[in-house]
Amino acid sequence: MGGASEGERVKAHLCVIGAGRSGAVTAACLAQLGHRVCAVDVDQERVVTLRSGRAPFFEPGLDELISGNLNAGRLTFTSEYADAVPGAEFVLLSVDTPPRPTGEADLSSLTAAAQRIAPLLADDAVVVTRSTVPIGTNAELAKLIHVANPDATFAVVSNPEFLREGHAVDDFQRPERIVIGAAEERAGTRVAALYGTTDRPVILTDLETAELIKYAANAYLATSISFINEIANIADRFGADVGLVAEALALDRRIGGDAYLRAGIGFGGSCLPKDLRALVHTAELHGYTPTLLRAIVEVNERQPKRVLASLEEFFADLARRPIAVLGLSFKGDTFDLRSSPAVAAIHLLLAAGARVRVFDPLADQAVPAELEAQVELCPDAYTAVEGCDAVIVATDHSVFRALDLEKLRNAMRSPVFIDARNAFDPAVVAQARFVYRGIGRGSRHLE
Ligand code: NAD
Ligand code: UGA
């Protein structure tokens, strides 16, 4: 490991393959740094939306960056590789790497992209992998491109990305660190120069270490969440308060104030669950049994059941009971249902026979038809809770904190308030004549 030279940012011609949640942010932010960026996506509808200056998903600040850079002529979108790759000094790969049923990362989008760029690469181009890929993938990618085009002179660099949805623009512009893995140092420093950063740590290393840093970072965050959820489940046995436990832990500088110690119904999203399972798969494939990582997955998969356990305290069974769920997304102030623990909890409620009424303030974006067919989607929280026996806060959207709890209570048949994100002050909820249950906030009865 070493520090990359920090210097003046070069202005370069870039091509970003894949203009999804991470690729669109990467393309727009790199254009904002002054580079000329052409982003390629096979999804033509997505390209049309992006060309009109809008992101095809909710991400604060991104629309402005896209439209500003389109207008400045620095950013373009296409579905044609031939329009974008031949002139590019850097080709960034930001395609999806979703999980297969075994947990293994599905690299078919990445290999398809590599096959398509290979014959079009400019001399001395640098292929930069932004997608999260298993250890060893970049070395294989270099071989694949070489076989597809033996005349190509190129280098492959791993430059994993650490964006959080909902904070993606800010995370790109003020990264905690920039990680660059390369087989040859020159290619790595060329990539570092794209960022031209002088005040953020740049870690220049080999390909495999860079790949592992990305998985280790997400596995560490996931560990922290499963850890605090386990502590919360223990807290509930004794009437102890996990919020104060977390506060006390965070005061230890070795843990820190921004640690992932908010207990709830588990972590979801397109990355933490998928990357953890992919790391488990990679370890097992190479003959190592990752006992701790497996346990983190197990704790997380169990956690949505806490919602059912809370309800069982009040109701002998849930058959035909109307239950309101506030929130669908995997976390607050975003709309992404991939591996959402809120959706997992809804499926548990449905399996127990409950009639589920749902409100998510950002659900004007697409809700999958399969889910929509099984629940009643409501236009607001007050409609959702009408006649319900319980309300479950499943996502910590900040607008929920402004709800009129009295009004909510008056619309319901029974006063059961399950705060599966510990987003509310229990005393305030109780003042509105609700019976409050959080996660690890003093319910003695639960599993
Ligand atoms: P996504 O599904 O939102 O976007 C992927 C895009 O790639 C889609 O628009 C798809 O049409 C396009 N695509 C697929 N195959 C293509 C091909 N051959 N050529 C051109 N375009 C193609 O996925 P995402 O969330 O942006 O994730 C992409 C990668 O970034 C994943 O490896 C993920 O783990 C990683 N990542 C994502 C985030 C995040 O905040 N979402 C953060 C860090 C890392
Ligand atoms: C996560 C990482 O935070 C990013 O650094 C990384 O780049 C990204 O995955 C990725 O690789 O794609 P993201 O998926 O946007 O980002 O979500 P987070 O904000 O990290 O939250 C993940 C899940 O954990 C959510 O379901 C959230 O509600 C939950 N969470 C988070 C908790 O339950 N408790 C916490 O204390 C923190």
Side-chain angles (χ1 to χ4, degrees), residues 97-183:
T97 51
R100 293 187 192 279
T102 55
E104 178 187 8
D106 178 347
L107 298 178
S108 52
S109 292
L110 191 84
T111 46
Q115 295 280 6
R116 292 188 68 180
I117 62 169
L120 302 171
L121 285 174
D123 283 348
D124 213 20
V126 182
V127 177
V128 184
T129 305
R130 300 279 291 161
S131 299
T132 304
V133 294
I135 307 148
T137 302
N138 278 287
E140 289 301 319
L141 201 66
K143 286 187 207 156
L144 189 156
I145 295 172
H146 178 71
V147 169
N149 180 3
D151 297 330
T153 52
F154 66 98
V156 169
V157 168
S158 163
N159 174 213
E161 114 130 281
F162 297 95
L163 310 179
R164 287 164 304 162
E165 290 182 21
H167 300 267
V169 170
D170 203 42
D171 284 346
F172 189 99
Q173 293 179 336
R174 271 174 287 278
E176 306 275 359
R177 70 301 215 190
I178 293 169
V179 174
I180 297 171

Side-chain angles (χ1 to χ4, degrees), residues 208-263:
E208 292 74 16
T209 305
E211 291 165 336
L212 183 54
I213 289 171
K214 174 63 197 178
Y215 277 102
N218 276 358
Y220 190 88
L221 296 173
T223 306
S224 186
I225 301 167
S226 276
F227 165 78
I228 201 65
N229 283 337
E230 190 127 279
I231 296 294
N233 298 344
I234 295 170
D236 269 330
R237 300 244 159 195
F238 297 96
D241 180 355
V242 75
L244 276 177
V245 173
E247 224 176 288
L249 291 179
L251 288 171
D252 187 327
R253 272 180 302 157
R254 292 168 300 176
I255 298 176
D258 292 331
Y260 267 26
L261 290 174
R262 296 187 307 277

Side-chain angles (χ1 to χ4, degrees), residues 281-290:
H281 185 272
T282 302
E284 286 173 347
L285 200 66
H286 289 81
Y288 179 76
T289 303

